Structures are given as C-alpha cells and as structure tokens.
C-alpha cells in the first residue's frame, strides 16, 4: 500500500458550529455606516435586504454559532470535503515540501459557494421570504444560490455581468437547470441598470453594477431579499466549515501547516480556510504564515487603501471600511472572474490591517502555468481563481527544493475549472497577455472614494 | 444527526483485484474472429494494437486479476468513489423505494473512464510503448486517456468525431490541458479518413470512423498502440472496481439491491457496476434484477441482433459476436454521445443472450426530465448518458409509490454533465425532439452485417 492521498472525514465529523473569528480578534472591526447619514447602521437598516437570522450573524460576537440541522443535512450532499496530499505534484517539483489541498470542487456548484448559499436560502425560507435576488460574474455564485433556492423552494433571480452572460453561457444553463432566472446586467429592469445603459448601451457590466440591480429589486419588494456571495461577515462565517474540517484532516495526516495560502476576490474562500487556523494562532496554538494571493490586475490588498467605500457601483449599499480600489474601479478582463471584485471583505481587510496575514499579487499566465501543471499531475483542472494560490504554492515548493526545507503548505482548491476551459484554451494557444497594472487608474479610482469622517 | 447521505470507503478498502466474470459464466463467450480469414484470432493478431498485459486480460479466465500497485496509486486520486443514498429525490418522488447511486463523476475526467484509461496507459508504458491513439465522441474517453498518458509519460493522439470537435470545444480544451493532441475525424491523416472525406467532404464523423483512423495509425507504427474506451473484455474488467466498491458500500448501508440499473453505450459502465453483483447472483448470493438502459435512437440490445460484426466502420477490427445495429449504422444525433456506439460489448451481449440481464430503451426527453429533477434535489447535474438510468429509477420509484414496495434500487451515476450544458439548454427551451426510430433503417443496416459461418 502506497502513501495516503486523501484524508476523508465521516459525516459525523461535519462541524456542528461555524467559527466566528470576531470573538478572538485583538480589536473589533470598524462599524458599517449608512450611505446617506454616515452614521453606524443598525440591524433595522439591513432588514430590507437580509433576514434577521443573517443580520444577527453579521454582527455576532460569540465564538461558535450553531449550524442548523436542515443546513447540515444539505451539507452532507458533499461535505465533509476531501483534503488531499499532492504527492504527484511534489514529485514533479522535486520538492521536500508537503503540499496539501482542501478541495471544494466536489460541491453541487463546483466551488465553495454552496457553503453559504445553503444557509442563506435556509434563513430566508424560515422567515417567509419568497424570492432571492443576487448578482453573479462568471456564474459560480449564481449557480450556488440557484441550487440552494431549489432545495428550500424559493424563487431566485440572478443578474449576471453581461460579458459573462454572453461569453460563458454554460454556467447560465446550469443556473437555469437549478430552476432560477438569469438577467444580463446591466438590464432595463432596474433604475441602476437603465442609467448605465443610457450612458453606454454596450456596457459589458461589472459585479458592482449587478449588485446595484439585485439590491434595488430586493429593496422594493417585502417578500424579496438579497443574497451576497462573499465580502460580508456572515458569508465568511459560513465558509469556516472549510478550515474546521481541514484542521481535523491535517491532524489525521499528522501534520500542521507552516504556510496557508488562498486566493482572494471578496475574501470568503481564503477566510473560510484560514480563520480557524488563525484563531488557533491568536490563542498561541501554532504559528503558520497565512498568505492571501490576489490577481495583479485587481490588487485590492496589495495596492488598495484601507478606507470606507460602497459595496456596489451605484452607491446603494452601506459604507464599509475595506481595502477597496474604488467602487467604480473596473479591472482588466482577466479569466479569474471571481477575483475581479473592486474591494475586499471588511473583516479580512481589518485583519490585514492588524498585520495578522500577508498578501501577494500575481499575473495570470503564471497562474495558468501552475494550473496546467497541477492538472497533469493531480488530475483536477482547477478554476482560474485558485490557480493564483497554486502558483504561490509551486514557487514556495521550488524554494524548498533549494533550501531542503520540509515546509507543510496547505491551500484551498476552491473549485474546478470545467466551465473555464476557454480560458485554458487561450493560455495554451499563448493568447493571454499580462501587463503591469497602471498605477494612475488605481490612483484615479481611489480619488473618487466617498469622503467619510470617522 | 440526520440520515446518512454518503457511504465512503477508506483508501485501504480500494479493491486489490479486478473481477473477471468470465470465470463464473455458465458458458464461455464466443471466439473473436480475424476480419479476413474468419478464423479465431490469437494473441499475436492483437499484438499490433495492444500490449501483452492487456491482451492477456482480454482472454483471461481466472476470476481475480491483481491491480498493479502503480495503478492503485493513481486510483487513489479519486477512488474509492462515493455511494450516495438519494434521500431528497426519494422524498420528492414520495416513494418508499430506497435509491442509491454510485458516483463516478469525482474522477479527473468526470466519468468512469479513467478506471480503464489508467491501467491501459500503465500496461503500455511498462512494455515500452511511446504513443497511444484513440477515438472520442463528446470527449469523455479522450480526456480520460489524455490524463492517464500524462501520468505515465506517453504521448497521446485523439481522433474526435468532427461534430463534437466543432460543437463541444471545451472537452477538447480539457484533452489539450492534459497534454494530448486532438484531430477532428474524419481527418486527412489516414487512409480511412481520406476515403470518407472523398465521398463526403462535410462528413460529421462517427465513433466507428474515428476508431478506424486511430487503429490505422497505431497499426502502422511499432512504438504506437491503440486504446479503446469500452466494448472489450479488459475494459469491462477494469470497470469492475465500481461494483466491487459499491458492494462494500451497500453492506455499510445495511442493504442489498433488488434492482441494479445502468446505462449502456459500449457497456463498460453498466458492466462495471453490475458484474460483481451478477457474479454473486450466479453463485446464489442475492437475486437482484439487473437492467441495462439504452437510448431508443441506438437500441442495440433491444432491437439489434446477436451476430458477428466489426468494431469500426471501415472493417479493420476483428469480428466480434455482439448485439450490433450494423457497423455503418449512424444513430440520430442525440445528446448522450457516449451511448451512440453501433454495437454492444461482446461480453455483455453474450450475458444478455444467456438471459442474465434485461434491457430497456428510452427517449431522451424523459431522460433529461429525470436529470433536471435529480439536479434540483441531489445537486449533481448528471451527464446525459446516466440520465437514461435515472429515468428508469424514477419510473421504478414511482411504481413503488403506488405499490408501497420498499425496493432497493442501485444505479451508476457514471459522470457529471458540466460539459453538456448546451444539451440541458436545449431541453429547457423545449428544443429537443424524440421520434420513433425507423425500423427500416435498422433493418437495412443489419442487412449489411458481414456474413460469418460459425
């Protein structure tokens, strides 16, 4: 019998509680502000958009928050997810490093997103909500929410960034297969969409615009609420099942990570893996380096600033202290659609500002090279987003090959690339370009940040 | 804690041997004949196409055949695969039946195909072969072989049916991501391809034509061999890991199947699940019904005849006694590309002829309806092929809802539908048609079967 490849947990090892890192931080995160008054928002301000159960989690300060049994029952369709040791990749790299990856591509939507879409649909359903609206880029989040809504008998409308709606029709088909309706964004269905279309009838859309549309529709109908796939505290909270399981699985493997690496767009996948380990570190148990990797074309942590900004383009959401590039920042059309958000989760930005994690930015060609090497050795074609983390792992493992260090690296493989093969096609035909991202565009977008005195 | 959803096995439960049902059959299968002389072929006749290790398995009569450790090491990337109890689907159907599905979509190529591509690449590699050729339709088999070749450092050339090459480019991108080369078939690279193109420059191709091309190239080069993704005994043998694992998992669930259902194209997925249970049945352990489901547009078991035919269109392969529709039969372009082969595995045809299994044919719209219902309840979007088996399960479960029978149904969910979303699109937009398959086309193709006196 050879070396063990997978570390599986039994369904009885499924976490019973999510982990709320807020309870363990040396300082609480700054308040969320009303977009009009710039005063801290209360739960009542959020009520038109979110159900009470999720608002309570958004502001919760207790450490462990129980996962309702109906949510756990759905989680069991794919959770606990496997943790793999990448023996073949290690061998190909000739490295003494140990590379582990926690694989979330086994979920219904093929990514980590259902970890939060399921509880979001659940809390809405038990409070009598009938319909959810949301935005989606490439479609990972839209398909995850559509799936969750089908289970809890909610109707679901998805505003998909028009560029993706037209270029990546298969995620849209998946959303429709799960029973939801998809609108290309900007759409003529909303004030926000009409305003954009008036200025530019050919607008390719952006996540910020699609959020404005979905929020507008939800706010106008008392039976409709809005769902967000990343950024917010309750979303990051739900994703901690990843790290909680991974911690048990690393114990099964008899190792503890020296380095934890994840890709960051809105921050939920990274936080989901890292927070339980960071909580341990804050409590003096272990001292792993924890590193976020973002695309160099959307470098919110590495080149953004820590400041208040809107979550959407139209300025309809509350103001959050984040690491934004400016709410009207439009990144280059790289293939990692899930990493193109103009800001970073406020909670993760706060943790970064406290110096508890580090961040790097990477060009996409390097990332695809790592993705192809990973696929040829491990068999899984990764989504473009986690190739950012894989590229970092590969470099780190190569450094270990030089130094001889047996570093234990843990990364989040947050999804498969089955709907991203056109991007691999372009990489393999050498049709992808990287370019240094112009500082003046970032500076200009940051100039337009809302002025907030706190 | 709710009901258990998944039955997982540890890596130490990975089968150590494949199961060869030939050892347990009441009669041996009929001989394979040389296409020129019509005399039984010997191992030496197969040597230009296959390595010795696989030829030995093709004619093996012992019951248990050891799985080499390097193959098991690769299997561990995704095996043992999970067995699920479809609680949510059962509830949606209001049935007392218990529905279990063995899910092979967790493999690198997203189907059961790597179960055989990996040992095929392995046996070729250890005998010094440098290159493998093969055919593929929608691309499931091509991507599985490309993956296996990347692991054992073989080069790989895939002739892909032109209609799929043009309409389903993403499987082709996956094959290329794994490092193989893809040619649209018919191609000008072979005599067989050129002959077809001369008669019809716009030929959309067929599996039979692509096989002729891949075989021609392999036969002409001593360092090249050919690999087939279904039909042959050694392929069915490799797939028995599915049923061997499922048998252990049904034990974990504390049940034994009353009905086993699988879809059949060439027959390997169905055989892989069914043979270990059929072996038990032949030995007097359990008495499940075992049912193959094929598309009504390619009804080789239900409307073909038991007779000798070629495996390819050009008549280059040995003659095998199968359930063919005729080697030049071209089925309607249904979306279950993997079920469009003009014949049925000789071993499975023999078993069907002995009356040990039953068969049904189904229209594709019913199948997609079952696929959508399955996706909305279980979260997995199935490939079009296994929706044939799912439609049968759904009907059977509905019958049980009427009779109250707690029938235990086990089916093979042989792959996901991530590369088949265009087919779901067409189904959801009511753009799919079913039509009774014209008997005269089948009769005409059967008229052209080779005349063999045995």
């Amino acid at each position: 019998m050879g070396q063990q490849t997978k570390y599986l947990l039994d369904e009885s090892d499924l976490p019973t509680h999510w982990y709320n890192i807020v309870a363990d931080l040396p300082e609480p995160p700054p308040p969320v502000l009303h977009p009009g008054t710039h005063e801290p928002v209360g739960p009542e301000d959020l009520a038109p958009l979110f159900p009470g159960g999720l608002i309570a989690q958004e502001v919760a300060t207790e450490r462990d928050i129980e996962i309702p049994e109906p949510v756990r029952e759905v989680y069991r369709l794919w959770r606990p997810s496997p943790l793999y040791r990448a023996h073949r990749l290690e061998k190909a790299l000739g490295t003494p490093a140990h590379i582990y990856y926690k694989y979330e591509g086994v979920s219904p939507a093929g990514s980590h997103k259902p970890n939060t879409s399921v509880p979001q649909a659940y809390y809405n359903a038990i409070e009598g909500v009938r319909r959810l609206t949301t935005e989606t880029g490439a479609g990972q989040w839209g398909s995850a929410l559509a799936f969750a809504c089908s289970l809890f008998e909610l109707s679901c409308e998805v505003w998909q960034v028009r560029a993706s709606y037209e270029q990546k029709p298969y995620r849209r088909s998946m959303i429709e297969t799960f029973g939801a309706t998809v609108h290309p964004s900007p759409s003529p269905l909303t004030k926000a969409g009409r305003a954009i279309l008036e200025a530019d009838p050919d607008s390719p859309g952006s996540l910020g615009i699609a959020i404005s549309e979905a929020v507008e529709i939800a706010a106008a109908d008392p039976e409709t609420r809005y769902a967000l796939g990343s950024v917010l505290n309750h979303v990051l909270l739900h994703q901690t099942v990843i790290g909680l399981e991974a911690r048990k699985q690393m114990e099964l493997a008899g190792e503890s990570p020296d380095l934890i690496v994840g890709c960051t767009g809105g921050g939920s996948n990274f936080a989901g893996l890292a927070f339980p380990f960071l909580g341990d570190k804050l409590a003096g148990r272990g001292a792993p380096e924890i590193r976020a990797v973002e695309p160099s074309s959307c470098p919110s942590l590495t080149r953004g600033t820590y400041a208040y900004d809107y979550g959407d383009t139209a300025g309809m959401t509350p103001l959050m202290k984040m690491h934004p590039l400016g709410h009207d920042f439009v990144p280059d059309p790289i293939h990692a659609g899930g990493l193109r958000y103009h800001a970073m989760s406020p909670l993760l930005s706060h943790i970064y500002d406290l110096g508890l994690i580090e961040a790097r930015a990477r060009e996409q060609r390097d990332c695809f090279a790592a993705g192809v090497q990973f696929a040829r050795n491990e068999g899984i074609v990764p989504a473009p987003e986690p190739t950012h983390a894989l590229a970092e792992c590969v470099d780190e493992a190569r450094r270990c090959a030089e130094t001889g260090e047996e570093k234990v690296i843990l990364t989040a493989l947050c999804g498969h690339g089955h709907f991203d093969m056109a991007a691999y096609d372009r990489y393999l035909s050498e049709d992808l370009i990287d370019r240094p991202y112009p500082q003046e565009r970032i500076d200009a977008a940051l100039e337009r940040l809302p002025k907030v005195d706190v």
Side-chain angles (χ1 to χ4, degrees), chain A:
Chain A
M1 162 108 193
Q3 297 165 299
Q4 189 161 356
T5 301
K6 294 182 296 299
Y7 297 88
L8 302 174
L9 297 173
D10 195 80
E11 290 185 0
S12 59
D13 286 316
L14 188 67
T16 55
H17 294 71
W18 292 297
Y19 167 63
N20 180 15
I21 198 165
V22 172
D24 290 325
L25 289 180
E27 285 177 36
V32 171
L33 306 181
H34 190 282
T37 64
H38 290 197
E39 292 298 314
V41 301
E44 67 287 357
D45 295 306
L46 297 173
L49 293 186
F50 301 106
L54 293 176
I55 294 172
Q57 292 179 353
E58 190 63 23
V59 298
T61 53
E62 69 265 38
R63 180 174 293 111
D64 298 304
I65 296 179
E66 192 169 4
I67 307 176
E69 183 50 35
V71 170
R72 298 180 78 228
E73 204 171 305
V74 179
Y75 276 173
R76 285 187 197 103
L77 287 173
W78 73 96
R79 305 210 71 84
S81 70
L83 177 82
Y84 288 85
R85 168 91 184 264
H87 288 298
R88 286 180 181 274
L89 181 63
E90 291 169 18
K91 205 173 149 196
L93 295 168
T95 183
H98 298 188
I99 304 173
Y100 291 87
Y101 56 97
K102 176 74 168 163
Y103 184 42
E104 294 294 311
V106 295
S107 85
S111 76
H112 62 296
K113 295 290 186 186
N115 296 333
T116 185
S117 70
V118 171
Q120 289 195 46
Y122 166 77
Y123 286 110
N124 276 286
I126 59 170
E127 295 186 27
V129 172
R130 306 288 294 275
R131 178 173 68 154
L132 288 181
T133 63
T134 198
E135 75 292 331
T136 200
Q140 292 275 13
W141 169 241
S143 50
L145 191 68
F147 161 68
C149 285
S150 84
L151 296 181
F152 292 103
E153 293 173 14
L154 295 168
S155 76
C156 179
E157 291 191 43
V158 180
W159 273 262
Q160 182 172 27
V161 175
R162 183 182 293 277
S164 295
Y165 180 91
E166 284 167 1
Q167 287 161 24
K168 301 185 177 178
Y170 296 129
R171 274 269 169 207
R172 165 164 59 83
S173 314
M174 194 182 204
I175 296 171
E176 289 167 349
T177 298
F178 285 135
T181 305
V182 187
H183 310 290
S185 166
S187 78
L189 303 170
T190 64
K191 232 174 85 180
R194 287 190 296 271
I196 300 277
L197 287 172
E198 209 161 290
D200 176 9
D202 298 323
S203 166
S206 73
L207 273 180
I209 297 167
I211 294 174
S212 295
E213 296 202 86
V215 164
E216 181 183 325
I217 296 288
D221 176 5
E223 292 198 325
T224 300
R225 292 289 180 283
Y226 165 71
L228 186 62
S230 188
V231 176
L232 299 180
N233 297 355
H234 67 270
V235 179
L236 274 57
L237 174 78
H238 299 154
Q239 294 295 352
T240 58
V241 288
I242 302 172
L244 292 166
E245 289 176 7
R247 202 166 55 177
K248 279 194 196 177
Q249 289 163 312
M250 290 301 298
E251 277 169 31
L252 282 181
E255 304 217 82
S256 73
D258 300 310
L259 172 65
I260 294 170
V261 183
C263 64
T264 43
S268 73
N269 149 65
F270 172 79
L273 178 68
F275 280 3
F277 292 94
L278 178 56
D280 282 352
K281 186 174 173 175
L282 290 168
R285 294 186 298 271
E289 293 172 80
I290 302 180
R291 190 178 300 160
V293 188
E294 59 187 12
S296 51
S297 59
C298 195
S300 43
L301 284 174
T302 53
R303 289 164 76 188
T305 188
Y306 188 43
Y308 274 95
D309 199 1
Y310 302 105
D312 70 328
T313 300
M316 298 166 65
T317 70
L319 286 162
M320 295 171 281
K321 195 165 185 187
M322 312 191 272
H323 245 275
L325 293 161
H327 56 279
D328 57 358
F329 178 84
V330 179
D332 277 354
I334 57 162
H335 287 282
L339 306 186
R340 292 180 71 231
Y341 186 58
H342 71 269
M344 181 54 60
S345 146
L347 183 53
L348 202 60
S349 297
H350 173 61
I351 286 169
Y352 182 61
D353 190 60
L354 291 173
L356 301 176
I357 60 169
E358 50 192 83
R360 301 271 170 88
R362 302 199 67 112
E363 302 282 351
Q364 67 177 344
R365 272 187 302 188
D366 259 16
C367 300
F368 276 104
V372 168
Q373 186 170 29
F374 187 84
R376 290 184 185 174
N377 285 285
E378 297 293 316
I380 299 168
V381 179
E385 290 82 358
T387 63
H388 288 71
L390 290 174
E392 192 70 20
C393 293
V394 164
D395 279 1
E396 194 73 36
R398 286 206 176 107
R399 274 190 287 274
C400 292
E402 284 165 26
T403 63
E405 191 186 355
E406 283 192 28
K407 190 176 256 193
V408 177
I409 303 170
L410 169 62
T411 190
L413 185 58
C414 58
H416 61 62
H418 299 168
F419 294 87
D420 303 284
M421 295 313 303
Y424 278 91
D425 240 8
R426 288 195 58 190
Y427 168 72
L428 291 169
S429 55
E430 297 180 13
D431 194 23
L432 280 187
I433 53 157
D434 288 330
R435 56 167 195 163
Y437 203 82
Q439 186 62 42
E440 55 275 19
R441 274 184 62 193
I442 296 177
D443 291 342
L446 291 178
E447 280 288 314
R448 293 187 295 271
L449 285 176
K451 306 292 173 251
V452 175
D453 296 318
V454 181

